[in-house]
Amino acid sequence: MKAAEGHNHGIRRETVPAKGRWSARLEPGQTLTLVDTKGQQAVDFLCYSAELPLDRINIPNTVKLNKSLYITKGSRIYSDHARVMMTVLEDTCGYHDTLAGCCSCEIDKVRYGVVKTESCRTNFIAELAKWAMAPSEIVSNINFFMRVPFAADGGVVIADGVSKAGDYVVLRAEMPVLVVLSNCPQQHNPAAGFEPTPVEVIVADAPADGGA
Ligand SMILES: [Zn+2]
């Protein structure tokens, strides 16, 4: 790979506050590091092709092609068109959820009897609006740092997270992608350890020499 002349090896580092949201466009080779700064903090994650927005993260394709319900080092995120969108380069946590989707005001009223205004779904709606994308673009997502074990009989629960303070996952964009995050505001199950906390996001350019 030839390095672009005059292109700086840039790093952009931001804190996403507790209950907050974030999005960015990444170019191929750029990496996104998500740091669970305090531990046990679910980060709900969506991604879309930046050039063909109707091609987007597809969880069943991702599960089938990785042959696993968990995302971890070496996993790839696949699109509706079964293209590789991103690859997980590093993971200090061990596994990340593909089953539980995002929390919403609607399901939290049903399952916990609470009326609320904040949820991953409302975060996704607000963040997608920045990119002129509608709520109908919300599909099943990955939950980084969230643990949803499943039993042989099909039983599924949202369990206590196993991520520790400082655990991180590194993803490399394999195509131009729009990534959208919700730092889960949930306080009625263990997704955010019952106490939502900030996370850190780091976007780094591909190595200038194309190596290592
Ligand atoms: Zn949530």
Side-chain angles (χ1 to χ4, degrees), residues 41-44 101-104 108 111 116 118-121 123-124 141 143 146 182-187 189 191-192:
Q41 175 59 52
V43 176
D44 291 46
C102 75
C103 65
S104 69
D108 284 354
R111 59 183 171 171
K116 57 198 288 196
E118 59 194 15
S119 68
C120 288
R121 184 172 170 81
N123 275 345
F124 282 152
N141 59 285
N143 293 304
M146 181 162 151
S182 168
N183 192 10
C184 184
Q186 183 59 260
Q187 293 179 284
N189 69 42

Side-chain angles (χ1 to χ4, degrees), residues 83-106:
R83 297 192 295 165
V84 180
M85 305 186 82
M86 303 189 84
T87 301
V88 180
L89 299 183
E90 298 294 340
D91 174 24
T92 66
C93 178
Y95 59 101
H96 307 270
D97 170 60
T98 61
L99 285 173
C102 75
C103 65
S104 69
C105 300
E106 293 82 1

Side-chain angles (χ1 to χ4, degrees), residues 108-190:
D108 284 354
K109 183 156 188 273
V110 171
R111 59 183 171 171
Y112 306 123
V114 296
V115 175
K116 57 198 288 196
T117 57
E118 59 194 15
S119 68
C120 288
R121 184 172 170 81
T122 51
N123 275 345
F124 282 152
I125 289 170
E127 201 62 25
L128 285 170
K130 290 183 181 175
W131 302 86
M133 293 168 73
S136 58
E137 295 296 328
I138 297 171
V139 293
S140 290
N141 59 285
I142 291 169
N143 293 304
F144 286 107
F145 309 115
M146 181 162 151
R147 195 165 77 93
V148 184
F150 49 91
D153 67 359
V156 172
V157 293
I158 296 172
D160 288 339
V162 293
S163 58
K164 304 173 299 296
D167 270 343
Y168 63 90
V169 59
V170 182
L171 300 134
R172 181 178 63 212
E174 307 292 2
M175 61 164 73
V177 288
L178 168 65
V179 296
V180 181
L181 308 181
S182 168
N183 192 10
C184 184
Q186 183 59 260
Q187 293 179 284
H188 299 277
N189 69 42

Side-chain angles (χ1 to χ4, degrees), residues 1 4 7-14 22-34 45 47 50 77 84-90 131 169-179 201-208 210-211:
M1 188 170 74
H7 187 64
N8 292 321
H9 183 63
I11 291 186
R12 170 181 167 198
R13 188 184 289 260
E14 291 179 42
W22 182 88
S23 61
R25 176 179 166 140
L26 303 186
E27 302 305 329
Q30 282 192 306
T31 58
L32 172 68
T33 301
L34 306 175
F45 174 95
C47 63
I77 298 172
V84 180
M85 305 186 82
M86 303 189 84
T87 301
V88 180
L89 299 183
E90 298 294 340
W131 302 86
V169 59
V170 182
L171 300 134
R172 181 178 63 212
E174 307 292 2
M175 61 164 73
V177 288
L178 168 65
V179 296
V201 295
I202 304 159
V203 175
D205 287 348

